[in-house]
Amino acid sequence: MAQSVLSRKTGVIVGDDVLKLFQYAQEKKFAIPAINVTSSSTVVAALEAARDAKAPIILQMSQGGAAYFAGKGVANGDQTASITGAVAGAHYIRSVAGAYGIPVVLHTDHCAKKLLPWLDGMMDADEAYYKEHNEPLFSSHMIDLSEEEVDWNIQTTAKYLKRAAPMKQWLEMEIGITGGEEDGVNNEDVDNNSLYTQPEDIYNIYSTLSKISPYFSIAAGFGNVHGVYKPGNVKLHPELLGKHQAYVKEKTGGKEDRPVFLVFHGGSGSSKQEYIDAIGYGVVKVNLDTDLQYAYLVGIRDYVLKKKDYIMSQVGNPDGEDKPNKKYFDPRVWVREGEKTMSARVTEGLKDFNTAGQL
């Protein structure tokens, strides 16, 4: 079981425990879903699903999600809201994660070039936390410079990994563009060829970063697209990931068949077979967001439609004009319905990725 390889069995894990968890995932051929969270409510929904499925989980905040955690009324021109919200969310997750009895990787999602001040601010918080607790606040971050020139992408990523390395902090990077649109980054019109990463780039990244730290993973493009699209509109080629692994093994002369920790972006809407194929090639993390946004809505939507006549006023419903409606419009009631349906969709992902039952 995965917890047998971890020094910290529950709560937010960091450093060598993250590395050991991903190694164990590759060995046992499962991937860990990375759930985008924007509030305490979405955090709870994900943690409940993982606890009940006896599975590890990754909770991640995007730049927009982090700003939402701080509050939509906070100005974000200098990334103040995104930094504040990410740090607040991290402390909240650290506070509650242990109560669920599972290991949790605390991560941040896509950080493009224009958002690097956000990453800088979070790493300032990591270093301050490290001085006091001998570990970073976040388990890991993602830097996404895939829209930039390849060499600049790699060298800038290396600079950030050098900063993270003394804290044994994990860094995820992206090479090859993920299509579609997510959180204000729109790649819906990119040339399809740019959605497929070349093995030479993977080796170049591996060669550069492995000299700095072992704590890194690569989100390689194999046709991935953010969002959900009609069947046939997205052409995934997970077999390319196997070619990347073989190329790195050949170039390094290593013994491991899967020397690279890979990440699957744009996971919503993919088939279970595509997940299984990608996991077999060394994918240890699969991002889920769009499906979960919709799942969260479903519970609230269905509740509102079902209880419509009980939430049109504070008093008065089909049971009587003087009957109070507080027990129907209390946010703890209808928000909970969204948590339930989101949690059910996380459970489905845990099963699809073979994560369920790994603890």
Side-chain angles (χ1 to χ4, degrees), residues 268-288:
S268 291
S270 300
S271 70
K272 183 171 183 178
Q273 190 58 52
E274 287 169 332
Y275 293 137
I276 291 172
D277 290 346
I279 291 167
Y281 295 125
V283 163
V284 296
K285 172 179 178 277
V286 181
N287 284 14
L288 278 181

Side-chain angles (χ1 to χ4, degrees), residues 24 41 66 111 117 130 139 154 159 162-163 192 197 200 236 254 265 283 319:
Y24 187 84
S41 178
C111 180
Y130 184 85
S139 311
I154 296 173
K159 182 184 74 172
K162 288 176 183 176
R163 183 177 180 184
N192 278 346
T197 304
E200 293 82 4
L236 289 179
H265 279 253
V283 163
D319 298 330

Side-chain angles (χ1 to χ4, degrees), residues 65-78:
Y68 189 84
F69 225 114
K72 292 291 286 185
V74 180
N76 203 27
D78 58 356

Side-chain angles (χ1 to χ4, degrees), residues 12-43:
V12 172
I13 64 171
V14 296
D16 287 329
D17 277 342
V18 176
L19 176 62
K20 290 175 182 176
L21 179 61
F22 288 158
Q23 288 172 332
Y24 187 84
Q26 277 195 342
E27 177 189 345
K28 300 299 182 182
K29 293 189 176 180
F30 70 89
I32 306 163
I35 311 303
N36 281 71
V37 294
T38 57
S39 63
S40 61
S41 178
T42 51
V43 168

Side-chain angles (χ1 to χ4, degrees), residues 9-277:
K9 312 296 183 183
T10 64
V12 172
I13 64 171
V14 296
D16 287 329
D17 277 342
V18 176
L19 176 62
K20 290 175 182 176
L21 179 61
F22 288 158
Q23 288 172 332
Y24 187 84
Q26 277 195 342
E27 177 189 345
K28 300 299 182 182
K29 293 189 176 180
F30 70 89
I32 306 163
I35 311 303
N36 281 71
V37 294
T38 57
S39 63
S40 61
S41 178
T42 51
V43 168
V44 164
L47 288 174
E48 280 191 11
R51 177 199 63 196
D52 294 347
K54 295 180 171 58
I57 197 80
I58 300 170
L59 300 182
Q60 62 186 25
M61 287 175 277
S62 67
Q63 179 260 357
Y68 189 84
F69 225 114
K72 292 291 286 185
V74 180
N76 203 27
D78 58 356
Q79 302 300 320
T80 296
S82 291
I83 295 168
T84 301
V87 171
H91 282 290
Y92 171 74
I93 291 168
R94 277 185 168 272
S95 296
V96 302
Y100 288 83
I102 57 171
V104 176
V105 177
L106 176 52
H107 183 64
T108 60
D109 205 5
H110 295 269
C111 180
K113 181 180 180 180
K114 65 182 179 180
L115 303 180
L116 287 175
W118 173 50
L119 180 55
D120 293 333
M122 291 188 293
M123 293 191 79
D124 288 344
D126 285 317
E127 289 165 344
Y129 194 88
Y130 184 85
K131 287 180 181 179
E132 186 173 350
H133 301 282
N134 201 35
E135 63 181 55
L137 177 61
F138 294 88
S139 311
S140 57
H141 295 293
M142 182 192 180
I143 184 169
D144 178 7
L145 306 175
S146 57
E147 294 181 318
E148 313 304 323
E149 191 270 330
V150 171
D151 287 341
W152 191 85
N153 178 355
I154 296 173
Q155 293 308 314
T156 305
T157 297
K159 182 184 74 172
Y160 278 91
L161 186 60
K162 288 176 183 176
R163 183 177 180 184
M167 298 182 285
K168 291 189 173 182
Q169 186 175 52
W170 197 273
L171 190 65
E172 176 186 333
M173 67 89 68
E174 181 163 349
I175 186 76
I177 294 172
T178 300
E181 189 276 335
E182 182 177 63
D183 221 331
V185 178
N186 194 321
N187 291 323
E188 292 179 310
D189 298 322
V190 299
D191 177 52
N192 278 346
N193 289 331
S194 64
L195 302 180
Y196 301 98
T197 304
Q198 300 305 308
E200 293 82 4
D201 290 335
I202 298 295
Y203 171 68
N204 192 4
I205 295 164
Y206 182 86
S207 177
T208 301
L209 300 187
S210 61
K211 294 181 177 70
I212 301 167
S213 165
Y215 308 109
F216 69 91
S217 52
I218 303 173
F222 55 100
N224 319 54
V225 174
H226 286 133
V228 178
Y229 297 84
K230 290 181 179 180
N233 283 11
V234 177
K235 305 293 185 183
L236 289 179
H237 291 280
E239 70 278 2
L240 294 177
L241 302 178
K243 294 180 179 179
H244 298 336
Q245 297 281 25
Y247 188 80
V248 172
K249 179 183 179 181
E250 176 190 350
K251 294 293 288 186
T252 61
K255 296 180 180 179
E256 296 292 334
D257 289 332
R258 291 166 293 179
V260 185
F261 295 106
L262 296 171
V263 177
F264 187 153
H265 279 253
S268 291
S270 300
S271 70
K272 183 171 183 178
Q273 190 58 52
E274 287 169 332
Y275 293 137
I276 291 172
D277 290 346

